[in-house]
Amino acid sequence: MRFILNNYLLKFKLNYLKYLIPILSIFISFLFIEILLITIGIKNKSNLLTAYKFDNRLGWDTKKNFRYYRSSNSYAHWNYYNDEGHLVSKINFKNKTSFDKDNIILIGDSFVEGYYVSSTKSFAVKLDNSINEIQFINGGISGYSPEQYKIKFDQLYAKYSKNNIHNLVFLFPYNDIPFFGKTQYEGFSKPKYNLNKNSIDNLPLKNIKDSFEEEFQLKFLLTKTRIYQIIRPLLKQLFFEKVNVYKDDIDLYKYPLSKFEEIIKFFND
């Protein structure tokens, strides 16, 4: 009986080791790759304040001298912010911003900043790389609405106006109009324009980021790894159904003319 039991235990140990060694090998390889990705600066989450910092006038603003591997369900790439916090190409990441060069200031939200594409594909960076005589200042910040455009523009104009040629403000109806006059954007404070007082009346803003956690924090530990940040877009495309976020009974691109007039009046004032 003892012989049979010992024989059974031996077979169990051999079978156990047969599976344990590959599992350990995979785990060690996973750990090695994770450490390697940490050393090159890949972060384990992609929320709004990873690339930005709280600002008591704008709500949030870009970090300076900062590079960031931005990952989502549909893209994963590096973005670079220079010494003034403007999104630039990798080759210009370490270059100092010139205040003497002729410049064009670009103001807007994620479309202007180039949030959804790598730095080299941002149209602000493409313009800056194509015209050597002019410095294009990328003042676009993801999630901004007209109130923030105006504040950001005033800040940049005061700094670069000496040799300023043109100042461009980009309005995109779907992104801008719903949040014009609101006090928050995705849980973060933002300036609110008061139509009755013709002013922004909630400054300085309160930092409420500590009480706000994105859905990202509730996912499994595996989704918080750097490896997941790299392969996230591929996994979503291979195994998850693509959802059209704009599929709705309401046409999100149709707003009454009065909404546009409010924004135009705001800029004229």
Side-chain angles (χ1 to χ4, degrees):
M1 182 69 180
R2 181 178 295 178
F3 174 78
I4 296 174
L5 181 60
N6 288 337
N7 190 45
Y8 175 80
L9 290 174
L10 178 62
K11 289 182 179 180
F12 176 80
K13 289 179 180 179
L14 290 175
N15 288 331
Y16 178 75
L17 289 174
K18 183 173 66 175
Y19 294 107
L20 180 61
I21 293 175
I23 291 173
L24 285 175
S25 299
I26 293 173
F27 176 77
I28 293 172
S29 299
F30 184 92
L31 186 61
F32 175 79
I33 295 172
E34 184 73 6
I35 293 172
L36 180 63
L37 294 176
I38 292 173
T39 60
I40 65 174
I42 303 248
K43 299 185 181 300
N44 67 340
K45 59 181 181 179
S46 297
N47 64 29
L48 188 62
L49 288 186
T50 303
Y52 307 142
K53 60 184 179 180
F54 173 73
D55 186 281
N56 64 6
R57 289 183 59 80
L58 291 162
W60 59 93
D61 203 356
T62 51
K63 294 178 180 178
K64 298 179 180 180
N65 295 311
F66 185 75
R67 68 169 189 158
Y68 170 44
Y69 191 81
R70 180 170 279 145
S71 173
S72 79
N73 291 349
S74 56
Y75 57 85
H77 54 257
W78 286 98
N79 277 358
Y80 301 86
Y81 298 87
N82 67 4
D83 59 316
E84 287 296 315
H86 308 310
L87 188 141
V88 296
S89 62
K90 181 180 180 180
I91 59 174
N92 290 326
F93 178 44
K94 297 297 184 180
N95 295 341
K96 293 291 184 181
T97 302
S98 172
F99 293 95
D100 298 323
K101 195 173 183 179
D102 290 342
N103 58 77
I104 294 178
I105 299 174
L106 308 177
I107 301 291
D109 57 7
S110 57
F111 291 94
V112 176
E113 180 189 351
Y115 188 95
Y116 299 102
V117 296
S118 61
S119 294
T120 54
K121 295 181 180 178
S122 163
F123 74 85
V125 171
K126 284 181 175 293
L127 287 171
D128 192 50
N129 290 338
S130 62
I131 306 176
N132 294 327
E133 296 78 14
I134 299 174
Q135 180 178 228
F136 286 85
I137 308 300
N138 188 345
I141 310 290
S142 179
Y144 271 15
S145 61
E147 299 97 329
Q148 291 156 305
Y149 293 169
K150 187 171 183 179
I151 295 173
K152 186 70 174 179
F153 170 79
D154 290 341
Q155 291 178 350
L156 293 179
Y157 185 77
K159 186 179 293 187
Y160 294 95
S161 60
K162 178 182 176 181
N163 291 297
N164 186 259
I165 301 173
H166 297 292
N167 306 280
L168 308 179
V169 176
F170 293 81
L171 298 180
F172 295 89
Y174 174 67
N175 281 332
D176 296 339
I177 294 179
F179 293 101
F180 181 65
K182 305 294 184 182
T183 60
Q184 292 186 25
Y185 172 77
E186 293 189 359
F188 298 95
S189 296
K190 66 174 290 294
K192 176 185 181 297
Y193 178 61
N194 189 317
L195 292 172
N196 297 323
K197 295 182 180 179
N198 190 27
S199 64
I200 296 175
D201 58 3
N202 64 334
L203 300 179
L205 301 174
K206 294 181 179 180
N207 187 0
I208 61 174
K209 71 177 180 67
D210 293 332
S211 62
F212 175 75
E213 292 292 338
E214 292 189 359
E215 179 188 359
F216 222 71
Q217 302 296 324
L218 303 177
K219 293 184 178 179
F220 293 107
L221 181 62
L222 186 62
T223 66
K224 296 173 70 66
T225 64
R226 278 75 175 173
I227 293 176
Y228 176 76
Q229 300 305 314
I230 298 289
I231 64 175
R232 183 181 180 188
L234 179 61
L235 291 176
K236 294 294 182 179
Q237 292 175 20
L238 290 177
F239 302 109
F240 295 90
E241 181 182 357
K242 295 181 179 179
V243 179
N244 182 3
V245 296
Y246 299 110
K247 187 177 181 181
D248 203 311
D249 294 333
I250 302 174
D251 188 344
L252 298 175
Y253 291 90
K254 289 184 179 179
Y255 295 96
L257 182 61
S258 59
K259 290 293 184 181
F260 290 90
E261 292 174 341
E262 287 178 4
I263 294 177
I264 297 301
K265 183 179 184 301
F266 167 73
F267 281 111
N268 287 336
D269 293 337

